[in-house]
Amino acid sequence: MMMKWGRELTILAALALLAGYLSLTQPNFRDAFTLSTILTNAAYVGVVGIGMTMVIVAGQIDISVGSMLAVCALIAGTLARAGAPMFLVVLASLALGLGMGALNGALIAGTLARAGAPMFLVVLASLALGLGMGALNGALIAYLRIPSIIVTLATLTALRGAIVWWTKGYWVMPLPPGWKFLGTTHILGLPLPVWIGWTAVLAAAYVLAHTIIGREVYALGSNPQAARLAGIDTARVTFWVFALSGLLVGLATMLHVTRFSMVQTQEGLGLEFLVITAVVVGGTNIFGGSGTVAGTYLGVLLLTVTSSALTFLGISATWDQAIRGAFILVAVTADIVRTGRWRQPVGWAR
């Protein structure tokens, strides 16, 4: 038990020590608003982390999630303040995203909008766009056998460039009053995004640990050749891992941007590094084959509380990046030493 959950228990102990210290030395850290803010900030990062966990466990990598979130956010914001018949916008986004590439689907969906749109359709559009972009990555990686680092680097760059071209740097605002319903509604004292994030974590943890799909993901990351010999369709598993990751980015988008009154063009900048750090710190082997969603969520909480600690202690926020870098270096080094795989190529380079 201790060996199986060693990383998770270590993170939990570190969280308890850090939170205990801040509670004793910084009275404001103990108030309900601070706790709510930390959990809300962790919710959307944790949802993206679920998809990244599946991707890395499968022996791949995705550095495009920040750009994907930005595209979903800008499209959702545009649809919320403008719109055509919305079912056509959603269908166009999904069909074009899956069939012709998510970038075209996003841009065309945005230009279709001319009148107000119900929020549930805006959420569906965000999910469809995320799924489309993830499916595009998955198809290129699984069926054309292009290394995932190359595909997602290209996606990251192309989407960021498209955002600048499309928005001309302007934020999407003003947004209708119903826009902030999802992000600001409270249930039992906690924001709705927190409850949605916890539900997603529990569901994903069950799928990875107790279903055939989950076992296939672990098998693929552990030994792709053995997985193929065992009859697993490795291309199919790879495709759906990226597609589901994109879908989760679409969900995370709505958990995040509906807390604010505008959508910025720089949404999601640096998110990929934050999420990968949380996943690796949480115990997922960067080479693939092992990791848990619970560990990822604890990693997200540790990074979020660490960022808050810097603010409460009056330490410059520039140290946040340095601390994240140290976390990921220590975690990866520990995995290399533990597994003895320093002579093998990294999983996403196969």
Side-chain angles (χ1 to χ4, degrees):
M1 178 69 177
M2 287 293 292
M3 289 293 293
K4 181 179 179 181
W5 298 99
R7 182 70 68 84
E8 289 84 352
L9 293 174
T10 300
I11 298 174
L12 200 57
L15 267 173
L17 289 173
L18 182 57
Y21 173 77
L22 291 171
S23 297
L24 292 174
T25 60
Q26 307 293 327
N28 289 336
F29 183 80
R30 298 193 298 266
D31 65 36
F33 176 77
T34 300
L35 176 61
S36 176
T37 301
I38 289 173
L39 291 176
T40 304
N41 288 337
Y44 87 96
V45 179
V47 170
V48 179
I50 294 170
M52 188 67 75
T53 300
M54 294 189 298
V55 168
I56 294 179
V57 166
Q60 304 292 338
I61 196 73
D62 187 349
I63 60 172
S64 67
V65 291
S67 296
M68 290 166 60
L69 184 140
V71 169
C72 289
L74 290 166
I75 295 298
T78 301
L79 295 180
R81 72 170 187 174
M86 279 306 300
F87 73 95
L88 292 178
V89 175
V90 174
L91 290 177
S93 297
L94 182 57
L96 288 168
L98 291 172
M100 299 176 62
L103 178 58
N104 289 336
L107 295 175
I108 292 175
T111 59
L112 287 176
R114 291 293 182 272
M119 272 305 296
F120 79 94
L121 289 179
V122 174
V123 173
L124 287 178
S126 179
L127 295 176
L129 286 167
L131 178 63
M133 287 184 282
L136 174 64
N137 283 341
L140 293 173
I141 294 162
Y143 299 111
L144 296 185
R145 300 187 180 276
I146 304 174
S148 56
I149 186 67
I150 301 300
V151 170
T152 57
L153 177 62
T155 307
L156 179 157
T157 306
L159 292 178
R160 283 292 172 191
I163 289 169
V164 173
W165 169 79
W166 178 44
T167 65
K168 305 298 188 294
Y170 292 105
W171 296 358
V172 178
M173 59 184 297
L175 294 169
W179 169 257
K180 295 177 68 175
F181 174 80
L182 178 61
T184 58
T185 298
H186 284 64
I187 298 177
L188 300 178
L190 289 175
L192 183 56
V194 175
W195 293 106
I196 295 175
W198 285 348
T199 302
V201 167
L202 291 174
Y206 177 82
V207 169
L208 272 182
H210 301 291
T211 67
I212 295 175
I213 295 173
R215 288 192 288 272
E216 289 180 342
V217 172
Y218 283 110
L220 174 60
S222 297
N223 191 323
Q225 184 176 2
R228 283 191 291 270
L229 292 175
I232 295 174
D233 186 342
T234 56
R236 174 184 57 82
V237 174
T238 299
F239 172 81
W240 281 111
V241 160
F242 278 93
L244 290 174
S245 178
L247 182 67
L248 289 165
V249 170
L251 174 61
T253 299
M254 300 313 300
L255 300 184
H256 174 58
V257 298
T258 53
R259 298 162 54 199
F260 310 105
S261 299
M262 77 288 292
V263 178
Q264 302 181 33
T265 54
Q266 297 300 308
E267 292 288 355
L269 196 63
L271 177 65
E272 51 281 323
F273 178 60
L274 172 61
V275 173
I276 292 172
T277 302
V279 171
V280 174
V281 168
T284 298
N285 191 334
I286 194 65
F287 305 113
S290 65
T292 66
V293 172
T296 292
Y297 185 70
L298 288 174
V300 170
L301 284 178
L302 179 62
L303 294 177
T304 306
V305 173
T306 300
S307 296
S308 297
L310 296 180
T311 301
F312 279 103
L313 297 175
I315 300 173
S316 173
T318 56
W319 282 99
D320 198 19
Q321 294 288 341
I323 292 172
R324 292 177 191 174
F327 276 152
I328 197 168
L329 183 61
V330 170
V332 171
T333 302
D335 284 336
I336 290 175
V337 172
R338 179 175 58 85
T339 61
R341 296 181 63 172
W342 59 86
R343 293 189 180 90
Q344 298 183 20
V346 292
W348 40 263
R350 294 177 208 162

